[in-house]
Amino acid sequence: QFLYGGEPIGKQFPALHQSVYGKPLVYFDNAATTQKPYSVIHAISEYYSTINSNIHRGVHHLSQKATDAYEVSRNAVAAFINSRSSSEVIFTKGTTDGINLIADVYGSYAVKEGDSVIISAMEHHSNIVPWQIMCEKRGAVLKVIPMNENGELLMDEFERMLDERVKIVAVTYISNTLGTINPVKRIIELAHANGTPVLIDAAQAVQHVAVDVQDLDCDFLAFSGHKMYGPTGIGILYGKEEWLEKLPPYQGGGDMIKTVTFTGTEYNELPFKYEAGTPHIEGAITLKSAVDFITELGVNEIAAFENGLLQYTTSLVTEIPGIDIIGTAKAKAGALSLSVKGVHPYDVGVLLDKMGIAVRTGHHCTQPVMDFYCIPGTVRLSFAVYNTIEEIDYFISSLKRAINMLV
Ligand code: PMP
């Protein structure tokens, strides 16, 4: 168990302490969204109980307090990912929103007919569809880095794909389905050697591994608050200042302008240029509590602990006949996908649910990955810092029971 103040960390998460169908809840759907610790829940309640008001607008006391808290949170996120400046940190609705933003503004800035965009074979739909929409608009071609049976990207193929027509590379740091940790630093080096910027989908990374945008040297990086113990509806888009300065705005509206007349508008400076309209103020402010939570526990300690859970589960699952692990890359984090021979993943999920275990079944918004393995879906466990070895033991015995009932 991961301990906090000498006690199991799970004590900090009220939602974990409930029964489902009379069984204690075991929550293994963390890649979809994590539960929230008291510190985040209290911060949300505190915000609405004290400083609730609109930001960046009012001269009045509450508005100034809310504005300060909003910017303090931005600074905390900037420190969390080690960005050079907080003006490179944009509050968004989430990973999907951040990727759509870049696909749209970068597409109109740099992508022409006959150009290409490279993604990978294991992308979440939210790192596929925005690029498809953009490519369709611009007459560009979407290219895909292939992977092997283990769920590892074929880097030689990637190198061969890079040419002067490739205008951007967008890849996930960690696969939400396979758990593969991609060699993103190498991908970025190779792309940069080709003069091509890189967007990293870090939705499954920031809660599992230390992410340092300067060390990675990525041009853009997107993630979601709700997968890292924070609120839903808030996320972060990091972008290098040199890019965000020259790219066009995304949405128009309040806050993203300096002056407006009917003949023209002068846009606001970064990061406000990309934050049109009243944002998710409470989400942005309380994202700091999630960042603080991870920082206090230590992301490297969390990574080591979760890796232990992953290894333990993998070794036990391997002993069960009729189960295939989908995704057997050397470097993995977060998620473990299983396929049970002759049984639909949905049926396994329903039975596990009746035993109090929350897993995800289906394609996990990665339909091309399912097509690659010729399976309808997987049963996916995904870990968070509050999961325990006891929960895994219970999962293994429940899984065996479920299989016996189904085959
Ligand atoms: N990318 C990856 C790898 C994900 O796992 C997810 C969420 N499952 C997303 C993108 C999309 O995140 P959101 O729905 O929070 O925008």
Side-chain angles (χ1 to χ4, degrees):
Q1 297 217 354
F2 199 103
L3 296 179
Y4 176 76
E7 303 215 311
I9 190 75
K11 280 204 162 182
Q12 299 298 317
F13 291 80
L16 294 175
H17 304 289
Q18 58 180 303
S19 297
V20 173
Y21 302 112
K23 306 278 177 355
L25 169 66
V26 172
Y27 189 79
F28 282 140
D29 194 19
N30 296 291
T33 200
T34 57
Q35 297 303 336
K36 318 304 171 198
Y38 277 118
S39 58
V40 170
I41 297 168
H42 287 159
I44 293 169
S45 157
E46 186 69 10
Y47 166 74
Y48 284 116
S49 309
T50 57
I51 57 169
N52 171 50
S53 58
N54 212 331
I55 53 163
H56 295 147
R57 290 163 201 211
V59 290
H60 65 80
H61 183 73
L62 285 194
S63 175
Q64 282 181 13
K65 283 234 164 183
T67 304
D68 287 350
Y70 188 84
E71 293 307 323
V72 164
S73 182
R74 194 194 306 277
N75 292 339
V77 173
F80 180 59
I81 58 171
N82 193 30
S83 75
R84 273 168 222 87
S85 144
S86 59
S87 60
E88 297 181 313
V89 172
I90 316 270
F91 284 118
T92 62
K93 288 192 286 185
T95 311
T96 306
D97 194 30
I99 297 171
N100 275 278
L101 190 163
I102 293 302
D104 189 272
V105 302
Y106 183 83
S108 68
Y109 176 83
V111 181
K112 309 244 164 357
E113 199 169 336
D115 286 341
S116 54
V117 171
I118 294 183
I119 60 170
S120 90
M122 64 179 82
E123 296 310 316
H124 188 279
H125 295 163
S126 67
N127 200 30
I128 303 175
V129 185
W131 303 110
Q132 280 175 333
I133 293 172
M134 185 268 266
C135 284
E136 212 163 287
K137 250 191 221 165
R138 318 245 150 239
V141 186
L142 189 67
K143 297 190 171 166
V144 181
I145 312 170
M147 64 179 179
N148 62 22
E149 280 289 320
N150 297 337
E152 291 165 322
L153 295 181
L154 302 182
M155 292 297 285
D156 292 349
E157 292 286 328
F158 173 56
E159 270 194 78
R160 274 197 283 276
M161 289 163 75
L162 286 166
D163 60 33
E164 74 285 356
R165 307 298 330 238
V166 180
K167 288 295 166 339
I168 188 161
V169 174
V171 288
T172 192
Y173 197 143
I174 298 180
S175 159
N176 63 311
T177 301
L178 307 169
T180 310
I181 305 177
N182 285 319
V184 284
K185 206 168 164 179
R186 181 78 188 127
I187 290 172
I188 293 162
E189 267 170 22
L190 290 168
H192 283 177
N194 191 56
T196 310
V198 180
L199 176 141
I200 299 296
D201 172 350
Q204 298 296 343
V206 282
Q207 67 282 46
H208 296 304
V209 295
V211 171
D212 180 330
V213 290
Q214 291 191 62
D215 179 53
L216 289 175
D217 199 25
C218 54
D219 301 272
F220 309 104
L221 181 131
F223 57 95
S224 303
H226 70 98
K227 293 178 195 285
M228 49 173 286
Y229 309 106
T232 45
I234 192 75
I236 295 294
L237 171 69
Y238 158 84
K240 275 186 186 164
E241 199 164 304
E242 64 200 76
W243 278 118
L244 297 181
E245 283 293 358
K246 62 186 170 197
L247 292 175
Y250 183 46
Q251 294 181 321
D255 264 0
M256 56 78 73
I257 53 89
K258 247 186 200 145
T259 57
V260 178
T261 68
F262 287 123
T263 48
T265 291
E266 196 190 341
Y267 303 123
N268 207 339
E269 62 205 22
L270 292 174
F272 313 112
K273 174 178 155 188
Y274 288 107
E275 291 181 1
T278 299
H280 182 8
I281 302 172
E282 156 252 310
I285 289 177
T286 58
L287 183 60
K288 177 178 185 301
S289 303
V291 165
D292 290 348
F293 176 78
I294 294 178
T295 310
E296 198 182 335
L297 300 187
V299 72
N300 292 325
E301 283 70 18
I302 295 175
F305 173 77
E306 290 175 341
N307 189 43
L309 297 180
L310 182 62
Q311 299 302 334
Y312 182 68
T313 320
T314 304
S315 68
L316 292 182
V317 161
T318 310
E319 288 166 12
I320 308 176
I323 293 200
D324 285 329
I325 294 176
I326 305 298
T328 48
K330 277 191 202 81
K332 281 179 69 169
L336 180 64
S337 259
L338 309 175
S339 176
V340 184
K341 279 201 187 81
V343 177
H344 198 280
Y346 178 80
D347 296 332
V348 181
V350 168
L351 286 181
L352 290 174
D353 180 47
K354 296 285 182 291
M355 302 178 209
I357 301 173
V359 292
R360 179 137 302 219
T361 62
H363 53 64
H364 320 295
C365 296
T366 55
Q367 283 180 2
V369 173
M370 301 302 124
D371 292 346
F372 176 81
Y373 288 103
C374 301
I375 48 175
T378 74
V379 175
R380 182 189 70 184
L381 290 90
S382 49
F383 301 109
V385 70
Y386 40 70
N387 290 130
T388 66
I389 292 288
E390 291 71 32
E391 288 178 334
I392 292 168
D393 289 338
Y394 177 62
F395 165 79
I396 293 291
S397 61
S398 306
L399 180 64
K400 286 179 181 163
R401 267 182 70 197
I403 294 173
N404 282 338
M405 287 157 139
L406 291 166
V407 291

